[in-house]
């Protein structure tokens, strides 16, 4: 376990693979930590240099008081990549991680050579929806909404398995200030015009049963980038890398090959 001191926050991160490997960065969703990517890690090609991290207020990273801005989350990823020499990386972002990916690609195209926007949008929800959720979390914690979140995260097949409890536990053990802070960042983000300015290889991935970022939203977002690709993974929800890791990894590997990253 490693911790990067970025000044106003300390981020827990992990790097796997050789120093000279093709760089890949993964950014996870709201309410999860870097373990989100554990199911696909053994399925990726050998020799990649992979950076994963817990965004501020999540996992083992420090938790500044909420609210957070999307700009701060983008800067956190930027500083971490600069610190460890991750340039021309394939950046894979899921949900809020996909928003971070969009913001970073616009800000620092030298760091991002290709983009995977998984289960995300240029804009997710609206200010009223997020305001209600933030108020509810700050008042009553995360537990009361956990079952509803599981329905958005996972399709019925996965919700019937014992493994559901692992992800529910991850969510409810999340810091309230971190969840509320990142919710504020999502609430204030509209990347439609900036994402439409991007010109780089891009892939959108959606889950057919995703109750947080439905396939139409993912498609609408990825279509902003000329020449982009889109894949839908059937019978999965918001976290298809957990529900169908083999299919998810195959899609990533094909995109890496198509773009010459491996």
């Amino acid at each position: 376990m490693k911790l990067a001191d970025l000044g106003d926050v300390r981020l827990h991160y992990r790097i796997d693979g050789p120093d000279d490997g093709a760089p890949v960065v993964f950014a996870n969703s709201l309410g999860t930590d870097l373990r989100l990517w554990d199911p696909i890690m053994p399925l990726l090609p050998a020799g990649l240099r992979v950076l994963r991290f817990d965004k501020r207020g999540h996992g083992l990273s420090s938790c500044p008081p909420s609210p957070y801005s999307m700009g701060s989350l983008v800067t956190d990823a930027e500083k971490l990549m600069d610190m460890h020499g991750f340039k021309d990386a394939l950046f894979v972002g899921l949900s809020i991680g996909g928003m971070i990916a969009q913001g970073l690609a616009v800000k620092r195209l030298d760091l991002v050579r290709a983009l995977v926007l998984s289960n995300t949008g240029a804009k997710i929800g609206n200010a009223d929806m997020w305001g209600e959720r933030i108020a509810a979390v700050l008042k009553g914690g995360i537990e009361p909404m956990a079952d509803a979140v599981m329905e958005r995260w996972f399709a019925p097949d996965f919700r019937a398995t014992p493994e559901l409890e692992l992800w529910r536990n991850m969510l409810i053990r999340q810091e309230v200030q971190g969840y509320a802070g990142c919710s504020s960042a999502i609430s204030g983000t509209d990347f439609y015009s900036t994402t439409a300015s991007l010109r780089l290889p891009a892939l959108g991935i959606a889950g057919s049963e995703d109750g947080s970022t439905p396939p139409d939203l993912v498609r609408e977002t990825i279509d902003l980038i000329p020449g982009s690709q889109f894949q839908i993974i059937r019978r999965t929800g918001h976290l298809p890398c957990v529900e169908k890791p083999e299919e998810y990894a195959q899609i990533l590997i094909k995109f890496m090959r198509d773009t010459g990253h491996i």
Side-chain angles (χ1 to χ4, degrees):
M1 295 187 291
K2 295 183 179 180
L3 206 61
D5 189 346
L6 305 184
D8 64 331
V9 70
R10 293 175 300 284
L11 293 190
H12 170 236
Y13 71 95
R14 174 170 177 165
I15 297 176
D16 293 285
D19 290 345
D20 60 349
V24 181
V25 181
F26 287 98
N28 48 280
S29 58
L30 179 68
T32 67
D33 58 41
L34 59 76
R35 290 175 293 177
L36 176 69
W37 306 106
D38 281 355
I40 69 166
M41 288 297 294
L43 306 173
L44 297 177
L48 297 175
R49 186 174 187 237
V50 177
L51 170 64
R52 295 180 285 163
F53 63 96
D54 295 338
K55 62 190 162 293
R56 60 173 59 204
H58 283 67
L60 299 180
S61 293
S62 64
C63 185
S66 63
Y68 309 153
S69 70
M70 188 59 64
S72 295
L73 298 176
V74 170
T75 298
D76 291 346
E78 175 188 14
K79 287 181 177 178
L80 192 60
M81 290 177 70
D82 276 336
M83 183 180 291
H84 295 286
F86 276 78
K87 293 186 180 298
D88 294 320
L90 169 67
F91 198 107
V92 184
L94 192 150
S95 194
I96 189 175
M99 290 184 135
I100 293 169
Q102 293 169 70
L104 182 65
V106 169
K107 184 180 182 183
R108 291 287 304 276
L109 200 54
D110 60 313
L111 298 183
V112 183
R113 72 173 298 269
L115 205 55
V116 177
L117 302 181
S118 178
N119 306 81
T120 190
K123 178 179 172 60
I124 299 175
N126 57 62
D128 289 343
M129 181 203 87
W130 286 110
E132 291 174 6
R133 188 181 299 187
I134 292 165
V137 167
L138 292 177
K139 181 180 179 181
I142 296 173
E143 168 72 42
M145 68 175 194
D147 290 339
V149 172
M150 292 301 103
E151 290 186 7
R152 294 193 295 270
W153 278 11
F154 299 113
D157 288 352
F158 188 87
R159 295 203 306 273
T161 68
E163 284 74 21
L164 180 73
E165 188 174 357
L166 297 172
W167 299 94
R168 192 181 189 280
N169 286 342
M170 183 184 290
L171 173 68
I172 64 176
R173 293 171 186 176
Q174 159 73 39
E175 294 267 13
V176 166
Q177 287 290 321
Y179 190 95
C182 285
S183 295
S184 296
I186 298 172
S187 175
T189 299
D190 183 339
F191 278 155
Y192 274 102
S193 59
T194 50
T195 296
S197 73
L198 288 171
R199 300 293 182 269
L200 78 172
L203 166 68
I205 301 176
S208 65
E209 312 300 317
D210 188 344
S212 295
T213 52
D216 285 350
L217 174 62
V218 182
R219 185 187 291 273
E220 180 181 53
T221 298
I222 200 68
D223 281 351
L224 296 169
I225 305 173
S228 59
Q229 304 175 35
F230 176 77
Q231 292 283 337
I232 188 165
I233 301 180
R234 301 290 175 187
R235 300 178 74 178
T236 65
H238 193 52
L239 308 179
C241 52
V242 173
E243 292 177 276
K244 292 195 174 179
E246 292 85 2
E247 186 172 348
Y248 196 94
Q250 287 169 7
I251 290 170
L252 286 185
I253 293 167
K254 182 179 185 302
F255 183 64
M256 290 180 195
R257 290 180 174 144
D258 289 347
T259 57
H261 201 63
I262 55 172

